[in-house]
Amino acid sequence: MLEFMEGSHAVAEIVKRCRPQVIAAYPITPQTHIVEDLAQMVANCEIDAEYITVESEFSALSACLGASAAGSRVYSATTSQGLALMFEVCFNAAGMRQPIVMTIANRSLGAPLSIWNDQQDSISLRDSGWLQLYAEDNQETADLHMIAYKVCEDHDILLPAFVCFDGFILTHTYEPVALPSQEEADAYLPAFNPYQRLDAAKPLSMGMYATPEYYMEFRYEIDQAMHRAKQALVKAGREFGEQFGRDYSGLVEGYRLDDADVALVAMGSICGTVKDAIDEMREAGRKVGLLKIRTYRPFPASEIADALKNVSTVAVLDKNISLGNGGAVGTEVKSALYGSGISVYDYIIALGGRDVRKRDIAAVVDLAEKGKGDMFYGLRTEVL
Amino acid sequence: MAEVEGGCELFSAGHRACGGCGPALAARLLLKATGKNTILVASTGCMEVFSTPYPETAWGVPWIHSLFENAAAVASGIEASLKRQGRSEKVVCVCGDGATFDIGVLCISGAFERGHDITYICYDNEAYMNTGIQRSGATPYGASTTTSPAGSCSLGNTLRKKDMPAILAAHGSPYVATASIAYPNDFVQKVERAINTPGPCYIQVHAPCCTGWGFEAGETLAMGKLAIETGLWVNYEMVDGVVEKAKKVKRKPVEEYLSKQKRFRHLFKPRRDDEIAKIQAIADANAERFGIDIKAKESSE
């Protein structure tokens, strides 16, 4: 049944149905409503969880790591500066193979201080060993949480995951969202079964140090698990579709792509605007399509190459900038299409919450068709 | 010493600590006090490195290390997790002075403020020993370290040792104690008391480091005793913020302690009586604050 609710509330509701046993979080705009809602649910005994009101994001993720290591399903949420403060723990949690799920309400990083949306925060953690899933709308955001837990806790994977959705654009927006009943959620996501845990009855040491003789093999194992996560995501997404009717078996998703000459590539809420813009361009006879990337880590390079094999031009929309080298997604799409002969152009767009309209999408397509790209789009040149 | 000598060894021989390592002794004694029903949380530091080079481990109880500064936060999560699962293991942090006095203060403060049922043990060897003897907030006045070296215009560390026990007592900790590896039964008893006291408890155990301080490996216990006997280290217990018991001593001059360690050598060559007097004043102030002096007719405890 569809219910009209705020994106943050949809996240809190789905997290409740995932039955976390320990929640540790620190409030930060625009993530705040999620952790407030969860705190209220714990206060109302709607969730049987310990809620730790930590003193920082750094401690939030550290506490989640400890709780996970001791055998509990854990949850946290953050954004922007909070995620930056967690940087060290992010790498550590992945290296220690703790299946933590954390919502990222995507927000730009200072300076200058900005509370508004882009995807620089989670993109900056792309090499931390966390799965990174990006949602287009609030329904997808909610659904991806259940999929994330299922994949992370798979004993063949054991990696943490970010479920990313755009700050304010989705967190504070009301949309109709269908949520499973608790019984339906339980049927999809069984109770946490830790691969190993801190337990006095069976002592083990976790997080030891490794000399050069051993370190590299640990990194290899994480990389292998990340690659295996592709198939696990496909499987979990298909199973989700079979149970709930919303299929997430694709790591990427095409929109009007089959006969397209020009393909836009994007992640997150901008995909909705792009789809509307494409519909308008199609009415004007332009063969334009969209490839939405849902799974940024693991990066679906072969899926992207396969999906785009028939287009001549690709325009990537990057809500992040790898300063000095262009957008992160564009760089990786170019890598995925290397040698294909397809022209790929990258556009840095909508940083720090700048609005994107349908006409901006059409303008990007114009630029790509003229062979102009690899640029910031929509700069206010009068202040430069 | 029956308590100390008895029981099985949960901290194994074969770890890679230096000969005469005070912290290694602290680890061994600590586990005699806690027993098997314990989960240990470590910080990055000497002890983590010498006890767990993958794929070896010296720990006979569940042990976890995450980072340098987050042991108290990790322990908070473990404690919450155990509570939710209805489990009864004791959660004990074992961290060096750098992880405690300096980089970890935020996490410790948060954990103590929230009142988690954990015991936090700081093994205090008074510098960042693992990285090569750099100054920490626990480094005493006058000590030469590699980042507070004595030189032609410097007398080493000019800052006073941070009063961590007072800081944690101010958080409302029900039990804060100092101890020394030179008095093993006392340390073991304090650990037992801490783990059996609900809420966040803190023990700071003085653990001399022969490498960092510059004394012979066989002198570790003697150095720990001298610190107590000079009044530069005081063994005491604080219950609900009130000092209840401080070990009394017939005090010796600080010079006896200082002259035996390379980290204070610059105070003697050339001799700096003014600086030695400043350190004596620190000991005197400790004696006054904790009332540790044995008066003429008072018998030794």
Side-chain angles (χ1 to χ4, degrees), chain A residues 48 50 72 88 92 198 205 207, chain B residues 57 65-66 69 81 84 87:
Chain A
D48 185 21
E50 294 293 317
S72 291
E88 193 185 11
N92 202 242
L198 296 166
S205 293
Chain B
T57 182
H65 156 256
S66 169
E69 64 277 37
S81 182
R84 184 54 32 192
R87 289 163 60 190

Side-chain angles (χ1 to χ4, degrees), chain B residues 143-298:
Chain B
S144 178
T145 73
T146 55
T147 54
S148 64
S152 56
C153 58
S154 169
L155 283 156
N157 178 45
T158 54
L159 306 172
R160 293 280 292 267
K161 189 179 181 92
K162 192 190 278 187
D163 192 351
M164 276 305 287
I167 291 168
L168 293 176
H171 279 73
S173 170
Y175 183 72
V176 169
T178 55
S180 166
I181 52 99
Y183 295 89
N185 278 336
D186 177 66
F187 175 47
V188 166
Q189 284 162 13
K190 283 169 175 169
V191 174
E192 284 172 349
R193 183 166 180 186
I195 63 172
N196 290 313
T197 302
C201 299
Y202 178 72
I203 296 175
Q204 190 169 304
V205 57
H206 200 225
C209 170
C210 46
T211 312
W213 297 8
F215 59 81
E216 290 300 316
E219 296 292 309
T220 308
L221 293 185
M223 215 54 64
K225 281 192 173 158
L226 269 176
I228 300 251
E229 286 164 354
T230 53
L232 285 174
W233 182 274
V234 181
N235 268 1
Y236 62 91
E237 289 179 299
M238 287 171 91
V239 176
D240 296 325
V242 179
V243 177
E244 283 205 342
K245 220 178 355 179
K247 181 176 174 56
K248 297 210 169 196
V249 290
K250 197 159 182 300
R251 274 202 293 147
K252 295 177 176 174
V254 296
E255 194 175 330
E256 267 195 53
Y257 177 65
L258 304 178
S259 62
K260 291 184 167 64
Q261 302 173 40
K262 279 186 190 161
R263 62 177 173 160
F264 297 113
R265 186 169 51 189
H266 57 285
L267 303 179
F268 297 91
K269 294 178 184 174
R271 192 178 168 86
R272 289 292 301 264
D273 281 331
D274 54 337
E275 288 298 320
I276 295 168
K278 280 185 193 167
I279 297 172
Q280 185 61 56
I282 293 170
D284 293 346
N286 283 343
E288 176 72 23
R289 176 181 167 199
F290 294 103
I292 60 170
D293 281 334
I294 294 174
K295 304 289 187 263
K297 287 188 175 177
E298 223 171 339

Side-chain angles (χ1 to χ4, degrees), chain B residues 88 111 137:
Chain B
S88 64

Side-chain angles (χ1 to χ4, degrees), chain A residues 115-128:
Chain A
I115 59 167
W116 293 276
N117 167 252
D118 62 35
Q119 295 164 346
Q120 189 69 59
D121 47 4
S122 49
I123 288 283
S124 298
L125 269 295
R126 68 179 187 178
D127 301 326
S128 62

